[in-house]
Amino acid sequence: MEVVVDALDRVFARIVEGTYSAADSEALCLEFKTDGRSVKDDLGNIAEAAACLANAAGGHLVVGVDDRKTGAAAFVGTHLDPEKTRLRIYEVTQPPLLVEAETRTTMQGTVLVLTIPVSTQVHSANGRIPTERVADRCLPMSTERIAAVTARKTGRDWSAQPSGVPAVEADPVSMQVAREMLARSIDLGKRRLAEATDVDLLRALGVVLEDQTLTNAGALLVTRAYEHAVLISYTHRRTPAGQLTANEQLTGPLVVAIQRVFDLIGARLETTPVSIGKGQQLHIADLPEPAVREAVINGVMHRDYFSSERIAVEHTLTQLRVSSPGGFVPGVSVNNVLTTSSRTRNANLAAALRTLGLAETAGSGVDRMYAEMARLGHEPPRFSADFTRVDVTLLGGAPNTSLARYVATLPQEEAVDADTMVILLTLLTQRTVSAEELTPLLQKPAVVEAQSVLSRLSAEEIRLLEPTRETARRAHPKYRLREEALAALGSAVTYRRRTTDQVDRKIIELVNETGVINARMVRVLLDLDTVGASRVLADLVERQILRKTSEATRGPSVTYGKGAAFPAKSSRRGRAESIVSSGRSRENELAFDDLDDQARD
């Protein structure tokens, strides 16, 4: 991200204050330098630093600040002329790099600020190997890296380039695997495509050029052009530090390698049977297969094919890690991978994979991973990345069967919605959520988007959430699970929430049915211990909803009936208003929450 002038002023202020040195302030888009022994050497060094920044994300190069000092003493100034510096950078860089240069006078001294654009080319300086900015350092670029960065900057799709391999050289085994993939599709057109000739099938995949040769994607997918290159490495251990139980290095064709890695993973997934009622049973894997497939295919689809590194799939009993060469494409990071628009460096390959049914529609693959993990009670996928690799880790284990059973009852569109599943998973362990809390969790760009999801899930059509009474009038209320959702989730919830309204309603309904109640009935009704039941009854008597109807002072002989504030039978809304008017306090509601925690399973 470009460091703007205002941001530079803040950096300068921190250096003057002694909070940070210039070295501490250097970053991806900012570097400091000072004058050296000769102007010629200084300009050569500055040109190399400028090319390094331009090859990455651009930024600012400040000359005249000593990065080893703090305070005003760090501003040592410079004798370099802006226009001569700008011209020299242009002369010694290949291809020529044009930068902006200006002298800035601060209270501490004069500095030269060079603004380096994000270039569409890869630049070198002084005839040396090109470098690129990584964090706060300039690192040499390999031939593969130069090709990858050039393709990214120019928008060139490697997978769409001509391979020179004739379409008629498609491998029979790989074509059969591709046909089997298409035959499993729910799309009638794709199933019919499985019966087409090889060339027609490849044309439908979009990998045949006008001269009847294949694109790089086509050659990679269905020919033996890459049979000597390891594309995917699969290893399996029972535990992360245990001995290898499987170690396969898979070469081309890619469709065969993909199918093989799916088979290797599937053979080692353990399942748990879950009854969902009406005689139906689900067999749920400790790692959800759809999430596993998406993790692998995302690695295949988005990797950098200029790199000779392989995709590494590391599998243990409860964990799968997929590491693919190449960092995220520009605009994608670990903080927005769930919500950013779909972007790939291999558009031709991605389209072919989607036609084969191996990848979700554009932009939904990561959503699928999030939803599939959350619906089993597992944490969302973990992404990590640098400029050389992207890693995604799925942490599984025995599924939360109560949650899986409940999700099976939800409308299909909610059961596969990443936002819904992540919110539901969050509310298994905490009583309330708000839009502010969920915004970073759901990777939404604004609080209003998270609020719209909460509002949808609290609508009468879904009835999953409800705003708390205390915050209902706020623009962004706190939301909790509705009582019916809590009951259906059962032991999946790690707490028990009963608001005073809910406790009152249950007891009022029981008294209306039986006429009187005692402590034992309350214990059974609310699943409380003896002390908890006594506290509930004492509170209801104090608010005159109940009154003691027996002479006994202890034991099951003590009974309670309708008190002066007991609500008359009316509409549900009327009962609620009557209960509210009985004077219940916020402290009472918190006390009931404490009782529920004590009674937790």
Side-chain angles (χ1 to χ4, degrees):
M1 181 178 176
E2 186 174 324
V3 181
V4 296
V5 173
D6 288 346
L8 275 178
D9 288 338
R10 291 193 292 271
V11 171
F12 291 165
R14 289 198 298 263
I15 295 172
V16 172
E17 293 166 359
T19 307
Y20 298 98
S21 67
D24 295 329
S25 303
E26 288 185 333
L28 177 67
C29 300
L30 178 62
E31 184 169 354
F32 292 94
K33 287 192 175 295
T34 56
D35 291 355
R37 293 182 179 179
S38 73
V39 172
K40 180 180 178 181
D41 289 346
D42 290 343
L43 292 175
N45 292 334
I46 289 170
E48 290 183 17
C52 171
L53 289 165
N55 290 340
H60 286 78
L61 177 59
V62 181
V63 185
V65 181
D66 190 332
D67 63 6
R68 295 164 296 182
K69 298 179 181 179
T70 57
F75 289 79
V76 296
T78 180
H79 299 291
L80 295 178
D81 177 78
E83 282 305 313
K84 289 181 179 179
T85 302
R86 184 169 179 262
L87 176 61
R88 188 56 180 167
I89 292 173
Y90 185 84
E91 290 174 341
V92 301
T93 51
Q94 299 85 32
L97 175 63
L98 193 61
V99 304
E100 295 180 11
E102 65 170 337
T103 298
R104 294 188 61 191
T105 302
T106 70
M107 294 181 65
Q108 290 72 39
T110 299
V111 298
L112 175 64
V113 178
L114 303 175
T115 302
I116 318 299
V118 181
S119 178
T120 59
Q121 298 172 296
V122 172
H123 299 268
S124 63
N126 305 313
R128 297 182 179 176
I129 295 173
T131 62
E132 66 178 325
R133 192 77 169 176
V134 179
D136 60 351
R137 301 171 61 197
C138 287
L139 300 180
M141 300 174 71
S142 66
T143 303
E144 292 175 347
R145 182 63 184 161
I146 293 171
V149 172
T150 301
R152 185 195 75 201
K153 288 175 175 289
T154 59
R156 183 166 64 93
D157 177 6
W158 171 88
S159 69
Q161 299 305 305
S163 69
V165 179
V168 294
E169 291 187 13
D171 175 64
V173 174
S174 65
M175 293 304 296
Q176 179 59 31
V177 171
R179 284 189 165 82
E180 291 171 357
M181 292 174 176
L182 290 165
R184 292 193 291 267
S185 175
I186 60 173
D187 185 318
L188 179 60
K190 290 183 179 180
R191 294 203 302 273
R192 288 177 176 170
L193 186 59
E195 302 171 0
T197 65
D198 285 359
V199 173
D200 285 343
L201 192 159
L202 293 171
R203 285 198 185 99
L205 295 181
V207 297
V208 178
L209 299 172
E210 290 183 2
D211 62 359
Q212 304 306 302
T213 61
L214 296 171
T215 63
N216 282 334
L220 179 69
L221 282 167
V222 299
T223 77
R224 294 191 173 275
Y226 295 86
E227 65 179 340
H228 300 298
V230 176
L231 301 177
I232 305 175
S233 169
Y234 173 84
T235 57
H236 180 267
R237 292 177 170 88
R238 292 289 295 175
T239 62
Q243 292 185 335
L244 280 173
T245 57
N247 182 6
E248 294 209 21
Q249 310 304 307
L250 307 174
T251 62
L254 183 58
V255 289
V256 178
I258 291 172
Q259 187 58 58
R260 177 60 179 160
V261 80
F262 286 165
D263 292 342
L264 289 167
I265 296 170
R268 291 168 174 81
L269 291 178
E270 298 193 3
T271 61
T272 301
V274 177
S275 175
I276 60 174
K278 297 182 180 179
Q280 293 181 296
Q281 192 175 70
L282 298 176
H283 288 270
I284 299 177
D286 291 349
L287 281 166
E289 189 173 347
V292 167
R293 293 172 66 90
E294 287 301 328
V296 172
I297 293 300
N298 266 272
V300 169
M301 183 188 300
H302 300 297
R303 66 155 289 174
D304 175 9
Y305 282 97
F306 287 102
S307 171
S308 60
E309 295 295 317
R310 65 200 64 181
I311 296 168
V313 179
E314 300 171 9
H315 186 195
T316 68
L317 188 63
T318 60
Q319 178 176 314
L320 185 88
R321 179 172 175 264
V322 179
S323 180
S324 58
F328 281 123
V329 297
V332 181
S333 71
V334 295
N335 297 318
N336 68 4
V337 65
L338 176 60
T339 54
T340 191
S341 57
S342 178
R343 306 174 194 185
T344 179
R345 53 171 61 90
N346 305 301
N348 185 244
L349 176 62
L353 291 172
R354 291 187 182 110
T355 301
L356 289 170
L358 289 171
E360 291 290 305
T361 55
S364 62
V366 175
D367 294 46
R368 182 80 182 275
M369 276 192 277
Y370 269 74
E372 292 293 337
M373 292 295 286
R375 67 191 297 177
L376 299 188
H378 303 324
E379 65 177 85
R382 293 180 180 177
F383 284 88
S384 62
D386 58 26
F387 79 103
T388 63
R389 301 194 74 80
V390 173
D391 295 345
V392 57
T393 302
L394 306 179
L395 298 176
N400 185 325
T401 55
S402 296
L403 174 61
R405 189 179 298 114
Y406 175 71
V407 170
T409 68
L410 292 176
Q412 179 64 18
E413 61 271 19
E414 299 300 336
V416 298
D417 184 85
D419 292 339
T420 300
M421 290 298 102
V422 171
I423 291 171
L424 182 56
L425 181 64
T426 302
L427 284 171
L428 298 184
T429 56
Q430 66 185 62
R431 296 174 183 274
T432 63
V433 293
S434 65
E436 289 87 349
E437 294 172 302
L438 288 174
T439 298
L441 189 62
L442 301 180
Q443 298 185 2
K444 300 295 185 186
V447 172
V448 65
E449 293 191 26
Q451 179 60 47
S452 69
V453 178
L454 290 168
S455 298
R456 174 172 60 82
L457 296 179
S458 63
E460 288 301 310
E461 295 81 6
I462 301 175
R463 295 185 58 82
L464 178 64
L465 307 179
E466 63 182 4
T468 64
R469 181 183 298 278
E470 294 79 10
T471 66
R473 295 183 180 275
R474 298 179 187 173
H476 301 139
K478 288 183 176 292
Y479 288 82
R480 61 194 176 198
L481 290 169
R482 293 204 185 204
E483 186 176 2
E484 53 266 38
L486 270 175
L489 285 163
S491 61
V493 180
T494 60
Y495 60 88
R496 291 186 179 245
R497 175 187 57 79
R498 290 193 186 94
T499 64
T500 309
D501 280 354
Q502 294 166 335
V503 171
D504 288 357
R505 184 164 62 248
K506 286 178 177 294
I507 291 179
I508 288 167
E509 289 173 355
L510 183 59
V511 173
N512 276 326
E513 291 292 331
T514 63
V516 295
I517 61 170
N518 58 24
R520 182 178 181 279
M521 296 167 70
V522 172
R523 290 201 308 272
V524 173
L525 178 67
L526 301 180
D527 193 17
L528 298 174
D529 58 17
T530 301
V531 174
S534 297
R535 289 173 63 181
V536 169
L537 287 167
D539 175 73
L540 290 165
V541 169
E542 181 181 351
R543 291 187 285 128
Q544 298 185 19
I545 293 175
L546 297 181
R547 65 180 181 84
K548 190 182 292 186
T549 58
S550 63
E551 297 296 329
T553 57
R554 297 184 61 185
S557 300
V558 180
T559 59
Y560 300 83
K562 299 178 181 180
F566 191 92
K569 288 186 177 181
S570 61
S571 68
R572 187 172 182 177
R573 180 178 177 182
R575 290 200 301 272
E577 290 172 348
S578 177
I579 293 170
V580 172
S581 67
S582 65
R584 185 202 71 245
S585 66
R586 171 63 181 155
E587 289 74 16
N588 286 336
E589 182 163 329
L590 293 175
F592 282 120
D593 284 344
D594 292 340
L595 287 175
D596 290 335
D597 285 341
Q598 295 168 13
R600 175 169 30 177
D601 284 343

